[in-house]
Amino acid sequence: MSAVLLRASVCLLLLLFLHRKLAASANGGDSFTYSGFRGANLTLDGVAAISSGGLLVVTNKTTQIKGHAFHPSPLHFRNPSNGTIFSFSTTFVFGFVSEFTNLSGNGMAFLVSPTTDFSKALGSQYLGLFNQSNNGNSTNHVLAIELDSIFNPEFADMNDNHVGIDINGLKSNKSQSAGYYADGSGLLNPLSLRNCEAMQVWVDYDGQTKLINVTLAPVPMAKPHKPLLSDTIDLSSVFLDPMYVGFSSSTGPFLTSHYVLGWSFKMNGVAPDLDGSLLPLLPCPRSKGKSDVLDIVLPLASAGLVLITVGIIVLLVRRRIKYAELLEDWELEYGPHRFSYKDLFEATKGFRDKELLGMGGFGRVYKGVLQTSKAEVAVKRVSHESRQGMREFIAEVVSIGRLRHRNLVQLLGYCRRKGELLLVYDYMQNGSLDKFLYDEAKPTLDWPTRFRIIKGVASGLLYLHEDWEQVVIHRDVKASNVLLDHELNGRLGDFGLARLYDHGTAPKTTRVVGTMGYLAPELARTGKATTTTDVFAFGIFVLEVACGRRPVDPITFGEELILLDWVLENWRKGCILETSDPRLGEEFVVEEMELVLKLGLLCSHPLPAGRPSMRQVVEYLEGNAPLPELSPTYLSFSVLAMLHNEGFDDYIMSYPSSVATATSISEGFQKQMGSSAF
Ligand SMILES: *[C@@H]1O[C@H](CO)[C@@H](O)[C@H](O)[C@H]1NC(C)=O
Ligand SMILES: *[C@@H]1O[C@H](CO)[C@@H](O)[C@H](O)[C@H]1NC(C)=O
Ligand SMILES: *[C@@H]1O[C@H](CO)[C@@H](O)[C@H](O)[C@H]1NC(C)=O
Ligand SMILES: *[C@@H]1O[C@H](CO)[C@@H](O)[C@H](O)[C@H]1NC(C)=O
Ligand SMILES: *[C@@H]1O[C@H](CO)[C@@H](O)[C@H](O)[C@H]1NC(C)=O
Ligand SMILES: *[C@@H]1O[C@H](CO)[C@@H](O)[C@H](O)[C@H]1NC(C)=O
Ligand SMILES: *[C@@H]1O[C@H](CO)[C@@H](O)[C@H](O)[C@H]1NC(C)=O
Ligand SMILES: *[C@@H]1O[C@H](CO)[C@@H](O)[C@H](O)[C@H]1NC(C)=O
């Protein structure tokens, strides 16, 4: 009895002591220390929480979420006598823990902000800090030190493993690959944010020189003398008074937890040291052991149970046939992007019909949940006999798979079997855009959403065309290849897939790949896909979204409406707005609708030279450049009339309007196009 009492009172004393220690260091406003967060009074939102072990979990192992944690009371950074910003110093220990060995994201930031309300901020690449409309706006008054493990070209990121100083937006004022300058040699030693390693950051601001230093080092290394990043920024034009300090984090497609282990802050002084012995441990997943096969086979064989061994070998062989894959030498470099067929088979519950999401132009698409990471994926099975083009194709998709763009459906990896290619993508909750446009059962998408989708697809396509290290031609831009994520953002899928089918066996036959109604006239003639043929298809897509009609819309039996012609006709008559989707009623911004419809016509110009580049398209859509007037050649051009010629119409009629893939176009049509004026 007395022993129990004694233990209880010791515990109580300890608790009291801890509480006093926390309280003592956390009050006074201008200095606090959290060596571990057990019992800490922080302002939390989103999924942020304090674990029983004392870890501050800013985001937990969930995809597409955000979380924030702030010191509960705001601090006065501004000197009341002359308005300058005080010097301050802060340090924290953090760690990212991801399900995938080398893929994590999106990241975390330390921030100083006038508000703790980030409910309107976006997750993913926005790190829970900003959204599309306020990113970069000086009314944000936010300083953030980002720790970013995803490469986002839209914010001019340098790579997928960097530290940046951000003022009011995600385009960093200064950034640098994660690492530290060794004190002795002065050499930059790289660090990986994704390796489940605890690391410490120091942020120091000198109010006199306006110099801000950011230093990173692995725990338990002492603070290196030379900071990783240094920049002169007058925070008096950024900060309001008072300001909150805290952390923001978001995840993207990968199951990642972002943790803070300890944190201290001091105004007008050096941040107190963190007590390493009190910091909680980072929960790293234990590394995988050796293969299961050896574990089973060796002990059994040594026990001399020959019969059972033979039985197991037979089983293994059958298993090998069931899960057989093709793997060639050149694929070894794609290591992390190769999925095993077995994993995909299990993820999709054996590709059972219940998991079927749809039948795309190139094959069936199944929903799956990866067993190890619990990530939701879409697995596309593309039947493919020939090896031709496979190597280039995989190199291309894998190289794109290394990057993220919020308007591209992320390719996570692939698997190859005999006669079959399996592509693994992020799962998109809201399915494809065409369903929303044409399926009566789906709610009507309002104009702001449609306009955002158009802008998004434009920026995704621009990225493929111009911003990646090699030009990627999509070849099949259309509403059914635009998928909608959980926030109804448009994301372009299936990029480059058409390329696989682009290698005609006999050199004389031109095989045109794409979808009827979206094919640029010259594509039918030359068979050569270019960025301008993509722009043409994008133009048709834009009209589709604005008008809510298919490119070739069957109005009555045997009669179609060619969308492009119809909009053009209405434009000539001066009533282009009448082509807007009747389901929108009057609920749209007239200027935007007009811009979009005219842009659709411009992009679908019959002559390639008459079409804008995707960079120009993005500028028009963002209002950064005025849309040029449609040229008079458009009016006189006969191609459109030609498209009504019999041969072509027959072709369209023999296929439903949602034809997935046209693998070749009749000789007759080619001849027609070949003998045309251009
Ligand atoms: C993450 O946090 C949310 C909200 O607190 C919770 O619903 C979810 O179960 C958590 N996920 C994991 C994997 O802990
Ligand atoms: C936490 O901090 C806030 C702000 O300082 C304060 O209002 C609140 O009472 C504190 N809660 C606890 C449990 O200490
Ligand atoms: C502002 O006031 C502080 C003392 O309160 C002083 O150290 C600092 O030099 C002053 N700065 C300017 C720009 O006057
Ligand atoms: C992890 O990624 C980095 C760069 O992104 C690369 O250099 C490294 O080889 C990768 N490691 C593994 C195990 O794939
Ligand atoms: C972006 O965030 C700001 C600030 O929280 C908010 O006022 C605005 O409505 C948000 N915009 C969108 C489109 O969510
Ligand atoms: C910045 O935000 C303010 C207020 O939210 C808004 O009035 C202004 O137009 C924005 N500026 C830019 C460049 O977006
Ligand atoms: C850097 O920060 C300043 C604020 O001091 C801001 O006005 C400027 O636009 C930023 N520069 C870049 C390149 O982001
Ligand atoms: C920032 O780093 C520079 C040199 O590396 C150093 O001279 C300066 O004192 C540092 N400033 C602060 C505020 O730590």
Side-chain angles (χ1 to χ4, degrees):
M1 196 61 191
S2 65
V4 172
L5 250 171
L6 192 72
R7 277 236 294 276
S9 50
V10 166
C11 272
L12 202 70
L13 268 175
L14 214 74
L15 263 173
L16 271 173
F17 173 76
L18 272 176
H19 184 77
R20 275 195 34 197
K21 197 172 164 203
L22 260 175
S25 54
N27 72 7
D30 61 355
S31 174
F32 57 80
T33 304
Y34 303 103
S35 293
F37 292 89
R38 196 171 293 175
N41 177 15
L42 298 180
T43 304
L44 303 172
D45 73 26
V47 290
I50 293 170
S51 77
S52 55
L55 280 166
L56 170 55
V57 189
V58 196
T59 55
N60 63 11
K61 265 186 196 136
T62 314
T63 59
Q64 309 288 1
I65 42 137
K66 55 178 183 171
H68 300 92
F70 292 94
H71 182 64
S73 45
L75 309 175
H76 294 282
F77 283 82
R78 205 175 275 278
N79 185 335
S81 64
N82 56 17
T84 56
I85 298 296
F86 291 132
S87 298
F88 64 88
S89 156
T90 189
T91 183
F92 59 91
V93 174
F94 74 98
F96 298 173
V97 179
S98 172
E99 282 290 320
F100 297 96
T101 40
N102 213 10
L103 294 170
S104 128
N106 273 58
M108 196 177 82
F110 164 78
L111 76 159
V112 184
S113 153
T115 171
T116 58
D117 178 9
F118 284 82
S119 56
K120 294 275 164 48
L122 297 175
S124 281
Q125 70 269 42
Y126 288 91
L127 298 178
L129 293 168
F130 307 110
N131 58 34
Q132 292 119 310
S133 55
N134 72 357
N135 184 34
N137 193 321
S138 61
T139 56
N140 291 327
H141 303 287
V142 168
L143 162 72
I145 307 300
E146 63 167 50
L147 303 158
D148 192 345
S149 59
I150 296 275
F151 176 26
N152 276 108
E154 61 182 314
F155 301 140
D157 280 359
M158 61 189 305
N159 58 25
D160 58 359
N161 182 45
H162 61 272
V163 182
I165 301 175
D166 300 351
I167 302 289
N168 296 324
L170 290 150
K171 204 168 259 184
S172 300
N173 271 46
K174 262 253 170 93
S175 65
Q176 173 71 274
S177 277
Y180 65 95
Y181 291 100
D183 279 348
S185 64
L187 292 176
L188 181 62
N189 291 347
L191 289 173
S192 167
L193 296 175
R194 298 179 299 237
N195 262 2
C196 197
E197 216 185 312
M199 283 181 261
Q200 187 163 6
V201 172
W202 293 262
V203 180
D204 301 285
Y205 180 71
D206 183 331
Q208 297 250 287
T209 60
K210 321 253 184 287
L211 197 64
I212 185 164
N213 290 345
V214 180
T215 316
L216 179 69
V219 169
M221 184 183 280
K223 182 183 180 185
H225 289 121
K226 184 175 173 189
L228 178 65
L229 277 171
S230 204
D231 198 11
T232 307
I233 295 175
D234 184 358
L235 290 177
S236 66
S237 61
V238 178
F239 283 6
L240 299 177
D241 193 51
M243 298 285 277
Y244 290 90
V245 288
F247 300 93
S248 175
S249 170
S250 68
T251 61
F254 308 116
L255 294 170
T256 312
S257 300
H258 297 96
Y259 296 108
V260 183
L261 285 61
W263 177 30
S264 73
F265 180 95
K266 186 162 177 59
M267 199 75 80
N268 287 316
V270 177
D273 284 338
L274 300 175
D275 185 341
S277 65
L278 293 179
L279 296 184
L281 289 176
L282 203 56
C284 293
R286 65 185 181 89
S287 55
K288 293 210 175 76
K290 27 184 186 152
S291 100
D292 320 341
V293 176
L294 283 181
D295 280 353
I296 300 167
V297 173
L298 283 181
L300 286 183
S302 63
L305 298 173
V306 179
L307 251 169
I308 296 179
T309 313
V310 167
I312 285 173
I313 287 171
V314 168
L315 272 177
L316 284 176
V317 166
R318 275 172 58 180
R319 212 171 113 112
R320 251 184 75 173
I321 292 169
K322 183 173 172 191
Y323 297 130
E325 301 169 22
L326 292 183
L327 177 62
E328 291 174 51
D329 285 350
W330 56 265
E331 290 177 82
L332 294 177
E333 63 187 282
Y334 303 131
H337 290 286
R338 263 300 291 221
F339 279 83
S340 80
Y341 183 70
K342 182 168 169 289
D343 286 350
L344 298 182
F345 189 85
E346 283 165 4
T348 55
K349 307 207 169 69
F351 296 99
R352 68 173 183 185
D353 285 348
K354 237 184 110 186
E355 312 302 319
L356 193 63
L357 290 172
M359 309 263 284
F362 296 97
R364 291 161 166 260
V365 188
Y366 294 85
K367 179 172 177 185
V369 177
L370 296 177
Q371 300 289 308
T372 45
S373 62
K374 303 285 175 270
E376 290 184 317
V377 294
V379 182
K380 175 167 282 201
R381 300 183 79 154
V382 183
S383 71
H384 196 270
E385 290 303 332
S386 112
R387 280 186 53 211
Q388 250 182 331
M390 182 65 80
R391 186 171 178 166
E392 293 88 341
F393 173 75
I394 288 178
E396 187 170 291
V397 289
V398 165
S399 71
I400 295 168
R402 291 210 314 266
L403 298 158
R404 310 279 173 270
H405 189 283
R406 75 183 144 111
N407 298 111
L408 296 180
V409 178
Q410 187 60 48
L411 180 92
L412 300 174
Y414 74 100
C415 172
R416 235 152 51 83
R417 303 189 89 203
K418 195 166 183 301
E420 188 175 45
L421 175 67
L422 294 98
L423 296 167
V424 185
Y425 295 94
D426 258 355
Y427 173 64
M428 292 290 122
Q429 213 162 311
N430 279 309
S432 62
L433 173 61
D434 61 329
K435 303 249 164 45
F436 280 87
L437 293 177
Y438 310 123
D439 189 342
E440 299 292 330
K442 290 267 185 187
T444 303
L445 290 178
D446 63 9
W447 177 250
T449 306
R450 292 192 202 203
F451 194 47
R452 199 179 72 226
I453 290 170
I454 290 172
K455 288 205 255 187
V457 171
S459 101
L461 202 51
L462 167 63
Y463 176 60
L464 290 179
H465 284 182
E466 295 186 29
D467 287 343
W468 178 221
E469 59 196 31
Q470 72 211 46
V471 175
V472 178
I473 298 167
H474 188 288
R475 291 160 195 255
D476 206 6
V477 177
K478 56 178 172 180
S480 57
N481 269 345
V482 170
L483 299 172
L484 301 177
D485 64 16
H486 64 295
E487 286 170 327
L488 291 176
N489 290 309
R491 291 169 173 239
L492 207 42
D494 269 3
F495 34 84
L497 205 48
R499 180 189 167 122
L500 262 187
Y501 291 82
D502 201 21
H503 301 261
T505 35
K508 274 205 172 161
T509 50
T510 317
R511 284 158 62 87
V512 178
V513 180
T515 302
M516 291 309 302
Y518 297 88
L519 294 178
E522 79 273 15
L523 185 58
R525 187 166 50 90
T526 63
K528 193 168 173 336
T530 60
T531 51
T532 49
T533 58
D534 267 1
V535 172
F536 183 94
F538 174 78
I540 303 289
F541 158 77
V542 161
L543 296 179
E544 206 177 347
V545 178
C547 308
R549 280 175 179 261
R550 296 181 192 276
V552 183
D553 201 5
I555 13 183
T556 54
F557 180 73
E559 198 186 345
E560 305 91 9
L561 181 137
I562 309 281
L563 181 60
L564 178 55
D565 283 6
W566 180 63
V567 178
L568 192 58
E569 194 59 43
N570 279 280
W571 170 69
R572 276 191 210 139
K573 288 194 286 191
C575 52
I576 195 167
L577 282 177
E578 282 176 23
T579 61
S580 66
D581 189 344
R583 273 170 298 176
L584 290 171
E586 303 282 300
E587 300 286 306
F588 55 80
V589 182
V590 170
E591 293 76 26
E592 287 175 0
M593 180 63 86
E594 214 171 288
L595 170 74
V596 161
L597 288 167
K598 285 185 179 166
L599 180 67
L601 291 180
L602 189 67
C603 290
S604 309
H605 196 287
L607 289 176
R611 298 171 207 151
S613 69
M614 282 317 293
R615 189 168 299 283
Q616 287 170 313
V617 168
V618 168
E619 284 182 355
Y620 301 148
L621 283 169
E622 294 296 341
N624 295 336
L627 189 72
E629 284 303 311
L630 293 178
S631 81
T633 56
Y634 212 134
L635 288 171
S636 59
F637 217 82
S638 58
V639 164
L640 295 163
M642 215 165 59
L643 292 181
H644 293 284
N645 280 358
E646 242 172 87
F648 194 80
D649 277 358
D650 281 352
Y651 182 85
I652 294 166
M653 272 159 60
S654 60
Y655 285 77
S657 52
S658 60
V659 189
T661 309
T663 41
S664 77
I665 282 183
S666 71
E667 285 261 318
F669 181 58
Q670 271 186 46
K671 251 185 268 149
Q672 276 175 37
M673 301 306 285
S675 62
S676 75
F678 61 106

